[in-house]
Each structure stands twice: as C-alpha cells, then as structure tokens.
Amino acid sequence: MKIGVPKEIKNNESRVGMTPAGVFELIKNNHTVYVQQDAGFGSGFFDTDYAVVGAILVPTAAEVYANSDMIVKVKEPISEEYALIKENQIIFTYFHFASSEELTKAMIDSKSICIAYETVEETDGSLPLLTPMSEVAGRMAIQQGAKYLEKPIKGRGVLLGGVPGVPPGKVLVLGAGIVGIQAAKMAAGLGAHVTILDINMKRLRYVNDVMPSHVVTEFSSEYNIRRHIKNHDLIIGAVLIPGAKAPKLITRDMLKEMHPGTVMVDVAVDQGGCFETTVATTHENPTYIIDDVVHYCVANMPGAVPYTSTLALTNVTLPYVLKLANLGWKVATDRYPDLGKGLNIVHGEIVYKELAETFNFSY
C-alpha cells in the first residue's frame, strides 16, 4: 500500500501523523511511504530522519494525497485539503465530526473512507487512540488553568497549591474519564483541593480508591454543579460521549454565580464543548472572557507539546496503520471489531450511528 503523511496545517498544530520509527515499520512490511517535506519538523523529526528509513519526501501536500492510498494524519482535514482527498482513499486521523457539519458534508462528498481515531473502541468501551491525547490534554488543562489564574492574565490571582497559612486553590473537574482523572492527578500533585463529578459511580469509586484524600468525589447533577461553581477557582470540562456532541453542563447564566477571574478549561471543545459559552480557540489566541470568567478552549491542546504528543499518539496508532496497510481496510475492519468502530463515513455514506443522529443525516 502507498501511505501518505502530509504536514499538519491547522493553526499552531505541530504534531505529525507518523514518526520515522513508524515509517521504518511500514517499509519493512513492503509498503511505500510518502512524507511531505518538513512534516515532522515541529515534533523534532527532520527530513533526513525520514529519508534514512526509506521514506519518499515530496514538497507539497497535493503530491502526498495524489500518490497515496491511505493518508495518516493527526487533525481533521481543513477546507484547503478537502479537494485533495480522492474517492476510495483511506483517511485515518482524528475527525471529531460532531463539531463540524461542514467537515462531515465534505467527507461525504469526497466518497473516501474516513476512519476516526476517536471512535476506535475496545470491547470494554475504552478508546485506545483517544486515550494518550486525553492523558496529555488532562494534564495540560491544569498546567494552563494554573497559568491563567494569574492576575496579569485576568485570572483570580490564586496559586493552586497555596502556601503555609493560606488555603490551596479549588479545582472542579466535570467527568471522571481519562481527561478528568489525569487533570485531578495533576491538580492534586500541585496541592490543590479537587472535586470531581461524574454520573458513573464505578468511575467515582475508582477515583476514590486511587486518589489522595484531598480529591473528593460527588455524583454529577445540575444542583451540585451550581453549588460548586460558586467557590471553585478552576473548572475543567472533561465530558465525552464518543462520536457525539458533549452535553452543555455549564450554561451562560451560571457564569454570573462564579467569582470574577474564575478560569474554565473546556477539554471537550473538539466535540462541541461542555460549556454553553465555549468557542474553539487556538494556541495563538487561547482565551477570551465572558462575565469576568476566563475561558480556555483550545481545540488541539496537545499540539503545544508536539514531541511528547506525537510519540504518545504514534505508539498507539501504528499497530492499526499496519493492519490497514497489510490487510486493506475492508478485511482489517471486519477482522478487528475495535478498528471497525472507527469507520464513520464510507463511500459517501455515514456508518456511525451517533454521527448521523448529531446532524439528522441518514445512517
């Protein structure tokens, strides 16, 4: 199979879909790999690294798409890339279709095979290709939240860990999935007081067992959310419904109940966000303020730490890329049901139920 790795062109996205080690494995399996020049530069991988293992380097994304049976990316194609995608071409990347009807329609029109990292699902319900980026994003949410709590950046002026004689900051985490647990772990490590809410009691019991005593679990309800937002300094939105839009857990009217300078970080922004006031931002302009509440809603948070993120992502995507390349998409998705769950759009037809329901499209 001919596999293409284009350079990511989304704002401030420095990750790359495949490392030189991944290219080496594909070539060892008798595949051909086209890599756009400088595609790995932002992640610390250079053209010479790819050339040494046998990749064919080409100057433009158009040449990568034109020569490839399968495209391996990090982020969803953006408008400049739509016309490059060919009928029957496999596109393997994070799509997050639920946040963009335009992207969904464009991929339907392309008649390509869209396999989304975020909906590849194991039998136990875990999402193996979303997990590493969720781990990065969860940890970064606290790192960024702590920064934007500083007064010069219009935050409340709270040091999350406090100091002797001064109580620590309070962090509210909505969702006890991968993002929520990693965020709670980082916040607890800084010494903050953490409250984590979820509707899944099994997850709350797990958190209760593994976290220190200053991480408190509570059942998630609108009543409890409204009660906690009044006295928490940093709020992390970490709710995910695979393939569908995130529920709006914090509404516009709730902002007036928060302390001025409260910081909200919406890690669910890729799936439409779990705050009513969420608008996707970039690393270039990461925040905005509504009712004196600082919103951080960067849609590709792991892109700020591309070396770590690229290695973490490609560790888990490479085995699936090899299956697709070695077997072809039809056999691979039939033989491996977890990979089959990644199919979202095939030859212009939506084959992932939650996506069809999001936009009332045929399924």
Side-chain angles (χ1 to χ4, degrees):
M1 186 179 279
K2 296 175 182 177
I3 296 105
V5 183
K7 184 176 181 179
E8 299 294 326
I9 57 175
K10 195 166 184 176
N11 186 294
N12 276 275
E13 180 52 70
S14 300
R15 290 172 289 178
V16 64
M18 195 171 297
T19 63
V23 172
F24 178 83
E25 289 298 321
L26 284 166
I27 290 173
K28 193 171 74 173
N29 280 264
N30 299 315
H31 303 294
T32 303
V33 183
Y34 294 89
V35 178
Q36 187 179 348
Q37 290 173 2
D38 292 330
F41 183 79
S43 294
F45 303 111
F46 305 103
D47 288 349
T48 51
D49 299 326
Y50 288 102
V52 163
V53 297
I56 299 171
L57 291 159
V58 295
T60 66
E63 289 173 83
V64 173
Y65 281 88
N67 285 304
S68 303
D69 306 307
M70 174 165 63
I71 298 294
V72 179
K73 292 178 86 288
V74 178
K75 295 301 290 180
E76 75 283 354
I78 59 175
S79 56
E80 297 97 300
E81 297 170 288
Y82 294 167
L84 302 178
I85 296 171
K86 301 181 295 183
E87 186 173 346
N88 297 320
Q89 193 169 48
I90 303 164
I91 311 294
F92 194 32
T93 189
Y94 286 119
F95 275 106
H96 296 290
F97 280 119
S99 64
S100 175
E101 188 172 351
E102 178 196 345
L103 170 66
T104 304
K105 287 179 175 176
M107 292 305 99
I108 289 171
D109 292 342
S110 74
K111 292 184 165 52
S112 60
I113 294 94
C114 300
I115 307 177
Y117 291 163
E118 71 275 8
T119 64
V120 172
E121 185 178 336
E122 300 277 11
T123 52
D124 63 358
S126 62
L127 305 169
L129 305 190
L130 194 60
T131 294
M133 294 304 93
S134 295
E135 290 169 337
V136 172
R139 293 181 175 213
M140 279 192 68
I142 299 301
Q143 191 170 296
Q144 299 300 318
K147 178 170 72 179
Y148 286 101
L149 273 171
E150 296 171 9
K151 199 66 177 178
I153 321 177
K154 308 301 183 186
R156 196 176 172 207
V158 171
L159 181 65
L160 277 185
V163 291
V166 180
K170 289 187 170 185
V171 178
L172 177 64
V173 180
L174 304 176
I178 302 295
V179 170
I181 285 175
Q182 294 299 321
K185 182 186 293 185
M186 289 291 281
L190 287 172
H193 180 281
V194 183
T195 303
I196 185 164
L197 306 183
D198 202 294
I199 58 173
N200 185 333
M201 286 304 301
K202 184 181 289 188
R203 296 299 294 177
L204 292 181
R205 288 189 182 100
Y206 172 75
V207 172
N208 208 61
D209 285 342
V210 301
M211 291 290 179
S213 59
H214 59 290
V215 176
V216 178
T217 59
E218 281 193 37
F219 190 80
S220 184
S221 65
E222 182 176 341
Y223 178 86
N224 281 338
I225 292 171
R226 285 186 179 275
R227 182 165 57 87
H228 284 302
I229 61 174
K230 295 175 182 177
N231 58 17
H232 279 68
D233 308 298
L234 172 60
I235 300 168
I236 308 295
V239 178
L240 172 72
I241 300 175
K245 282 197 172 184
K248 304 298 183 188
L249 298 184
I250 292 187
T251 54
R252 173 67 185 262
D253 67 291
M254 292 183 186
L255 302 187
K256 297 189 183 300
E257 299 182 40
M258 301 177 190
H259 288 294
T262 296
V263 175
M264 300 204 306
V265 178
D266 196 343
V267 189
V269 60
D270 269 335
Q271 296 292 114
C274 57
F275 308 147
E276 191 177 9
T277 47
T278 289
V279 177
T281 60
T282 66
H283 289 294
E284 204 166 64
N285 295 294
T287 63
Y288 56 93
I289 296 173
I290 298 176
D291 291 341
D292 295 321
V293 172
V294 180
H295 293 60
Y296 179 98
C297 303
V298 174
N300 63 327
M301 289 174 65
V305 286
Y307 178 76
T308 298
S309 297
T310 292
L311 289 175
L313 178 60
T314 56
N315 284 344
V316 293
T317 56
L318 180 60
Y320 290 100
V321 173
L322 283 166
K323 288 170 184 172
L324 289 166
N326 290 339
L327 301 171
W329 74 268
K330 288 182 181 178
V331 174
T333 55
D334 185 54
R335 187 175 298 178
Y336 300 99
D338 52 342
L339 183 57
K341 287 284 191 76
L343 287 169
N344 276 232
I345 298 173
V346 176
H347 299 144
E349 301 286 344
I350 293 178
V351 297
Y352 195 82
K353 187 177 182 181
E354 289 80 359
L355 171 59
E357 290 173 347
T358 297
F359 300 118
N360 292 317
F361 288 170
S362 61
Y363 166 60

